[in-house]
Amino acid sequence: MPLNLQDKKAIVDEVKEIAKGALSAVVADTRGVTVAKMTGLRKAAREAGVYMRVVRNTLMRRVVVSTDFECLQDTFVGPTLIAFSTEHPGAAARLFKEFAKLNKEFEIKAAAFEGTLIPVSDIDRLATLPTYEEAIARLMATLKEASVGKFVRTLAALKAKREAV
């Protein structure tokens, strides 16, 4: 069913609003993926705080103008699914990477983060970013390790002092 001008403007406005607040975006080709599998991906995306949408390439080019995702314009060729991470920069990349492992037809084209195009070969850079909770846990482990190390060194120094006396 063809879209009229009002519908096209509404789609561009809706997706542009999401793009303005998004932390990263990932573009993929869904040719050959079954509807049931795509429904599962959409459900997983909602749970992960990822906004996914299939939008005509001409409209997507209008959406990304003047955003951090303008670098993705050359990837809007053929069937295009775009996912914007709104809560965590690596959420969409992680979601698409896991889905691509299970579905060989699903092809990730590229990603964008902070205005930089990330080719599919480097998608792991974005997909492996720690979540907020993981980053806090790593920081706490580092601080704990540092404080335990200092405590052990202090005990060793006290023991050496006692032996010297």
Side-chain angles (χ1 to χ4, degrees), residues 88-109:
H88 180 272
R94 191 175 304 120
L95 181 72
F96 277 18
K97 185 179 169 203
E98 291 299 316
F99 190 75
K101 282 181 187 176
L102 302 173
N103 300 283
K104 299 302 176 198
E105 307 88 16
F106 189 79
E107 178 190 344
I108 300 172
K109 294 180 181 180

PDB file of all heavy atoms in Angstrom, residues 88-109:
ATOM      1  N   HIS A  88      21.548   1.704  26.183  1.00  0.00           N
ATOM      2  CA  HIS A  88      22.948   1.287  26.256  1.00  0.00           C
ATOM      3  C   HIS A  88      23.518   1.251  24.844  1.00  0.00           C
ATOM      4  O   HIS A  88      22.888   0.684  23.955  1.00  0.00           O
ATOM      5  CB  HIS A  88      23.063  -0.100  26.910  1.00  0.00           C
ATOM      6  CG  HIS A  88      24.460  -0.570  27.020  1.00  0.00           C
ATOM      7  ND1 HIS A  88      25.077  -1.280  26.011  1.00  0.00           N
ATOM      8  CD2 HIS A  88      25.391  -0.411  27.983  1.00  0.00           C
ATOM      9  CE1 HIS A  88      26.319  -1.539  26.360  1.00  0.00           C
ATOM     10  NE2 HIS A  88      26.524  -1.025  27.551  1.00  0.00           N
ATOM     11  N   PRO A  89      24.682   1.844  24.606  1.00  0.00           N
ATOM     12  CA  PRO A  89      25.207   1.928  23.239  1.00  0.00           C
ATOM     13  C   PRO A  89      25.410   0.587  22.543  1.00  0.00           C
ATOM     14  O   PRO A  89      25.261   0.485  21.337  1.00  0.00           O
ATOM     15  CB  PRO A  89      26.550   2.643  23.403  1.00  0.00           C
ATOM     16  CG  PRO A  89      26.594   3.168  24.770  1.00  0.00           C
ATOM     17  CD  PRO A  89      25.551   2.482  25.580  1.00  0.00           C
ATOM     18  N   GLY A  90      25.710  -0.452  23.274  1.00  0.00           N
ATOM     19  CA  GLY A  90      25.987  -1.739  22.649  1.00  0.00           C
ATOM     20  C   GLY A  90      24.794  -2.670  22.548  1.00  0.00           C
ATOM     21  O   GLY A  90      24.907  -3.781  22.022  1.00  0.00           O
ATOM     22  N   ALA A  91      23.628  -2.234  23.003  1.00  0.00           N
ATOM     23  CA  ALA A  91      22.467  -3.128  23.065  1.00  0.00           C
ATOM     24  C   ALA A  91      22.038  -3.638  21.687  1.00  0.00           C
ATOM     25  O   ALA A  91      21.844  -4.839  21.497  1.00  0.00           O
ATOM     26  CB  ALA A  91      21.298  -2.431  23.754  1.00  0.00           C
ATOM     27  N   ALA A  92      21.893  -2.753  20.724  1.00  0.00           N
ATOM     28  CA  ALA A  92      21.449  -3.177  19.389  1.00  0.00           C
ATOM     29  C   ALA A  92      22.503  -4.037  18.710  1.00  0.00           C
ATOM     30  O   ALA A  92      22.181  -5.047  18.082  1.00  0.00           O
ATOM     31  CB  ALA A  92      21.118  -1.964  18.524  1.00  0.00           C
ATOM     32  N   ALA A  93      23.760  -3.659  18.834  1.00  0.00           N
ATOM     33  CA  ALA A  93      24.840  -4.442  18.219  1.00  0.00           C
ATOM     34  C   ALA A  93      24.899  -5.834  18.826  1.00  0.00           C
ATOM     35  O   ALA A  93      25.050  -6.831  18.105  1.00  0.00           O
ATOM     36  CB  ALA A  93      26.178  -3.727  18.399  1.00  0.00           C
ATOM     37  N   ARG A  94      24.777  -5.916  20.133  1.00  0.00           N
ATOM     38  CA  ARG A  94      24.800  -7.213  20.815  1.00  0.00           C
ATOM     39  C   ARG A  94      23.605  -8.064  20.378  1.00  0.00           C
ATOM     40  O   ARG A  94      23.752  -9.247  20.077  1.00  0.00           O
ATOM     41  CB  ARG A  94      24.772  -6.991  22.328  1.00  0.00           C
ATOM     42  CG  ARG A  94      25.061  -8.228  23.148  1.00  0.00           C
ATOM     43  CD  ARG A  94      25.146  -7.939  24.646  1.00  0.00           C
ATOM     44  NE  ARG A  94      26.127  -6.914  24.948  1.00  0.00           N
ATOM     45  CZ  ARG A  94      25.841  -5.745  25.552  1.00  0.00           C
ATOM     46  NH1 ARG A  94      24.611  -5.468  25.917  1.00  0.00           N
ATOM     47  NH2 ARG A  94      26.770  -4.869  25.789  1.00  0.00           N
ATOM     48  N   LEU A  95      22.436  -7.454  20.316  1.00  0.00           N
ATOM     49  CA  LEU A  95      21.219  -8.147  19.911  1.00  0.00           C
ATOM     50  C   LEU A  95      21.334  -8.670  18.482  1.00  0.00           C
ATOM     51  O   LEU A  95      21.057  -9.841  18.207  1.00  0.00           O
ATOM     52  CB  LEU A  95      20.022  -7.196  20.028  1.00  0.00           C
ATOM     53  CG  LEU A  95      18.659  -7.746  19.660  1.00  0.00           C
ATOM     54  CD1 LEU A  95      18.189  -8.719  20.729  1.00  0.00           C
ATOM     55  CD2 LEU A  95      17.674  -6.597  19.523  1.00  0.00           C
ATOM     56  N   PHE A  96      21.778  -7.837  17.562  1.00  0.00           N
ATOM     57  CA  PHE A  96      21.913  -8.241  16.160  1.00  0.00           C
ATOM     58  C   PHE A  96      22.999  -9.288  15.983  1.00  0.00           C
ATOM     59  O   PHE A  96      22.858 -10.206  15.187  1.00  0.00           O
ATOM     60  CB  PHE A  96      22.206  -7.032  15.277  1.00  0.00           C
ATOM     61  CG  PHE A  96      20.985  -6.254  14.861  1.00  0.00           C
ATOM     62  CD1 PHE A  96      19.780  -6.377  15.528  1.00  0.00           C
ATOM     63  CD2 PHE A  96      21.046  -5.379  13.790  1.00  0.00           C
ATOM     64  CE1 PHE A  96      18.657  -5.663  15.140  1.00  0.00           C
ATOM     65  CE2 PHE A  96      19.936  -4.667  13.388  1.00  0.00           C
ATOM     66  CZ  PHE A  96      18.744  -4.799  14.056  1.00  0.00           C
ATOM     67  N   LYS A  97      24.081  -9.165  16.725  1.00  0.00           N
ATOM     68  CA  LYS A  97      25.177 -10.132  16.612  1.00  0.00           C
ATOM     69  C   LYS A  97      24.708 -11.522  17.046  1.00  0.00           C
ATOM     70  O   LYS A  97      24.982 -12.525  16.374  1.00  0.00           O
ATOM     71  CB  LYS A  97      26.362  -9.670  17.455  1.00  0.00           C
ATOM     72  CG  LYS A  97      27.578 -10.539  17.321  1.00  0.00           C
ATOM     73  CD  LYS A  97      28.709 -10.012  18.159  1.00  0.00           C
ATOM     74  CE  LYS A  97      29.799 -11.045  18.203  1.00  0.00           C
ATOM     75  NZ  LYS A  97      30.653 -10.919  19.331  1.00  0.00           N
ATOM     76  N   GLU A  98      24.004 -11.585  18.159  1.00  0.00           N
ATOM     77  CA  GLU A  98      23.477 -12.865  18.649  1.00  0.00           C
ATOM     78  C   GLU A  98      22.455 -13.444  17.663  1.00  0.00           C
ATOM     79  O   GLU A  98      22.448 -14.646  17.406  1.00  0.00           O
ATOM     80  CB  GLU A  98      22.842 -12.699  20.032  1.00  0.00           C
ATOM     81  CG  GLU A  98      23.828 -12.404  21.130  1.00  0.00           C
ATOM     82  CD  GLU A  98      24.864 -13.504  21.321  1.00  0.00           C
ATOM     83  OE1 GLU A  98      24.487 -14.690  21.310  1.00  0.00           O
ATOM     84  OE2 GLU A  98      26.047 -13.167  21.451  1.00  0.00           O
ATOM     85  N   PHE A  99      21.609 -12.594  17.116  1.00  0.00           N
ATOM     86  CA  PHE A  99      20.598 -13.050  16.170  1.00  0.00           C
ATOM     87  C   PHE A  99      21.253 -13.556  14.880  1.00  0.00           C
ATOM     88  O   PHE A  99      20.817 -14.557  14.311  1.00  0.00           O
ATOM     89  CB  PHE A  99      19.613 -11.919  15.859  1.00  0.00           C
ATOM     90  CG  PHE A  99      18.411 -12.352  15.079  1.00  0.00           C
ATOM     91  CD1 PHE A  99      17.391 -13.057  15.693  1.00  0.00           C
ATOM     92  CD2 PHE A  99      18.299 -12.052  13.729  1.00  0.00           C
ATOM     93  CE1 PHE A  99      16.275 -13.462  14.965  1.00  0.00           C
ATOM     94  CE2 PHE A  99      17.195 -12.448  12.998  1.00  0.00           C
ATOM     95  CZ  PHE A  99      16.176 -13.156  13.619  1.00  0.00           C
ATOM     96  N   ALA A 100      22.300 -12.889  14.434  1.00  0.00           N
ATOM     97  CA  ALA A 100      22.999 -13.297  13.211  1.00  0.00           C
ATOM     98  C   ALA A 100      23.692 -14.648  13.385  1.00  0.00           C
ATOM     99  O   ALA A 100      23.818 -15.411  12.423  1.00  0.00           O
ATOM    100  CB  ALA A 100      24.008 -12.229  12.801  1.00  0.00           C
ATOM    101  N   LYS A 101      24.138 -14.962  14.597  1.00  0.00           N
ATOM    102  CA  LYS A 101      24.756 -16.267  14.858  1.00  0.00           C
ATOM    103  C   LYS A 101      23.761 -17.401  14.617  1.00  0.00           C
ATOM    104  O   LYS A 101      24.125 -18.451  14.103  1.00  0.00           O
ATOM    105  CB  LYS A 101      25.256 -16.358  16.306  1.00  0.00           C
ATOM    106  CG  LYS A 101      26.542 -15.653  16.569  1.00  0.00           C
ATOM    107  CD  LYS A 101      26.928 -15.853  18.026  1.00  0.00           C
ATOM    108  CE  LYS A 101      28.123 -15.033  18.411  1.00  0.00           C
ATOM    109  NZ  LYS A 101      28.437 -15.160  19.841  1.00  0.00           N
ATOM    110  N   LEU A 102      22.516 -17.172  14.995  1.00  0.00           N
ATOM    111  CA  LEU A 102      21.480 -18.191  14.877  1.00  0.00           C
ATOM    112  C   LEU A 102      20.781 -18.187  13.517  1.00  0.00           C
ATOM    113  O   LEU A 102      20.127 -19.160  13.158  1.00  0.00           O
ATOM    114  CB  LEU A 102      20.437 -18.000  15.980  1.00  0.00           C
ATOM    115  CG  LEU A 102      20.959 -18.035  17.412  1.00  0.00           C
ATOM    116  CD1 LEU A 102      19.857 -17.662  18.387  1.00  0.00           C
ATOM    117  CD2 LEU A 102      21.524 -19.408  17.740  1.00  0.00           C
ATOM    118  N   ASN A 103      20.887 -17.088  12.775  1.00  0.00           N
ATOM    119  CA  ASN A 103      20.189 -16.936  11.498  1.00  0.00           C
ATOM    120  C   ASN A 103      21.175 -16.465  10.436  1.00  0.00           C
ATOM    121  O   ASN A 103      21.473 -15.283  10.340  1.00  0.00           O
ATOM    122  CB  ASN A 103      19.045 -15.923  11.633  1.00  0.00           C
ATOM    123  CG  ASN A 103      18.038 -16.350  12.665  1.00  0.00           C
ATOM    124  OD1 ASN A 103      17.238 -17.214  12.420  1.00  0.00           O
ATOM    125  ND2 ASN A 103      18.127 -15.760  13.865  1.00  0.00           N
ATOM    126  N   LYS A 104      21.642 -17.395   9.647  1.00  0.00           N
ATOM    127  CA  LYS A 104      22.677 -17.100   8.640  1.00  0.00           C
ATOM    128  C   LYS A 104      22.194 -16.132   7.563  1.00  0.00           C
ATOM    129  O   LYS A 104      22.997 -15.461   6.927  1.00  0.00           O
ATOM    130  CB  LYS A 104      23.167 -18.399   7.985  1.00  0.00           C
ATOM    131  CG  LYS A 104      23.782 -19.371   8.964  1.00  0.00           C
ATOM    132  CD  LYS A 104      24.945 -18.748   9.690  1.00  0.00           C
ATOM    133  CE  LYS A 104      25.487 -19.704  10.738  1.00  0.00           C
ATOM    134  NZ  LYS A 104      26.300 -19.051  11.731  1.00  0.00           N
ATOM    135  N   GLU A 105      20.861 -16.038   7.347  1.00  0.00           N
ATOM    136  CA  GLU A 105      20.332 -15.131   6.328  1.00  0.00           C
ATOM    137  C   GLU A 105      20.416 -13.675   6.782  1.00  0.00           C
ATOM    138  O   GLU A 105      20.446 -12.760   5.963  1.00  0.00           O
ATOM    139  CB  GLU A 105      18.856 -15.444   6.029  1.00  0.00           C
ATOM    140  CG  GLU A 105      18.574 -16.877   5.676  1.00  0.00           C
ATOM    141  CD  GLU A 105      18.297 -17.733   6.913  1.00  0.00           C
ATOM    142  OE1 GLU A 105      18.033 -17.197   8.000  1.00  0.00           O
ATOM    143  OE2 GLU A 105      18.371 -18.961   6.785  1.00  0.00           O
ATOM    144  N   PHE A 106      20.423 -13.446   8.074  1.00  0.00           N
ATOM    145  CA  PHE A 106      20.447 -12.104   8.651  1.00  0.00           C
ATOM    146  C   PHE A 106      21.845 -11.520   8.483  1.00  0.00           C
ATOM    147  O   PHE A 106      22.829 -12.096   8.933  1.00  0.00           O
ATOM    148  CB  PHE A 106      20.078 -12.183  10.141  1.00  0.00           C
ATOM    149  CG  PHE A 106      19.855 -10.860  10.803  1.00  0.00           C
ATOM    150  CD1 PHE A 106      18.655 -10.185  10.637  1.00  0.00           C
ATOM    151  CD2 PHE A 106      20.823 -10.296  11.611  1.00  0.00           C
ATOM    152  CE1 PHE A 106      18.431  -8.977  11.263  1.00  0.00           C
ATOM    153  CE2 PHE A 106      20.610  -9.091  12.243  1.00  0.00           C
ATOM    154  CZ  PHE A 106      19.408  -8.426  12.062  1.00  0.00           C
ATOM    155  N   GLU A 107      21.934 -10.377   7.820  1.00  0.00           N
ATOM    156  CA  GLU A 107      23.237  -9.776   7.523  1.00  0.00           C
ATOM    157  C   GLU A 107      23.338  -8.377   8.126  1.00  0.00           C
ATOM    158  O   GLU A 107      22.575  -7.479   7.764  1.00  0.00           O
ATOM    159  CB  GLU A 107      23.435  -9.698   6.014  1.00  0.00           C
ATOM    160  CG  GLU A 107      24.724  -9.054   5.597  1.00  0.00           C
ATOM    161  CD  GLU A 107      24.792  -8.765   4.116  1.00  0.00           C
ATOM    162  OE1 GLU A 107      23.977  -9.316   3.351  1.00  0.00           O
ATOM    163  OE2 GLU A 107      25.640  -7.969   3.718  1.00  0.00           O
ATOM    164  N   ILE A 108      24.285  -8.195   9.033  1.00  0.00           N
ATOM    165  CA  ILE A 108      24.530  -6.874   9.599  1.00  0.00           C
ATOM    166  C   ILE A 108      25.346  -6.090   8.581  1.00  0.00           C
ATOM    167  O   ILE A 108      26.356  -6.570   8.073  1.00  0.00           O
ATOM    168  CB  ILE A 108      25.285  -6.968  10.939  1.00  0.00           C
ATOM    169  CG1 ILE A 108      24.469  -7.786  11.943  1.00  0.00           C
ATOM    170  CG2 ILE A 108      25.579  -5.569  11.483  1.00  0.00           C
ATOM    171  CD1 ILE A 108      25.206  -8.107  13.227  1.00  0.00           C
ATOM    172  N   LYS A 109      24.901  -4.863   8.276  1.00  0.00           N
ATOM    173  CA  LYS A 109      25.583  -4.034   7.277  1.00  0.00           C
ATOM    174  C   LYS A 109      26.641  -3.140   7.922  1.00  0.00           C
ATOM    175  O   LYS A 109      27.777  -3.088   7.476  1.00  0.00           O
ATOM    176  CB  LYS A 109      24.582  -3.165   6.525  1.00  0.00           C
ATOM    177  CG  LYS A 109      23.603  -3.937   5.670  1.00  0.00           C
ATOM    178  CD  LYS A 109      22.667  -2.959   4.977  1.00  0.00           C
ATOM    179  CE  LYS A 109      21.638  -3.642   4.128  1.00  0.00           C
ATOM    180  NZ  LYS A 109      20.749  -2.670   3.466  1.00  0.00           N
TER     181      LYS A 109
END
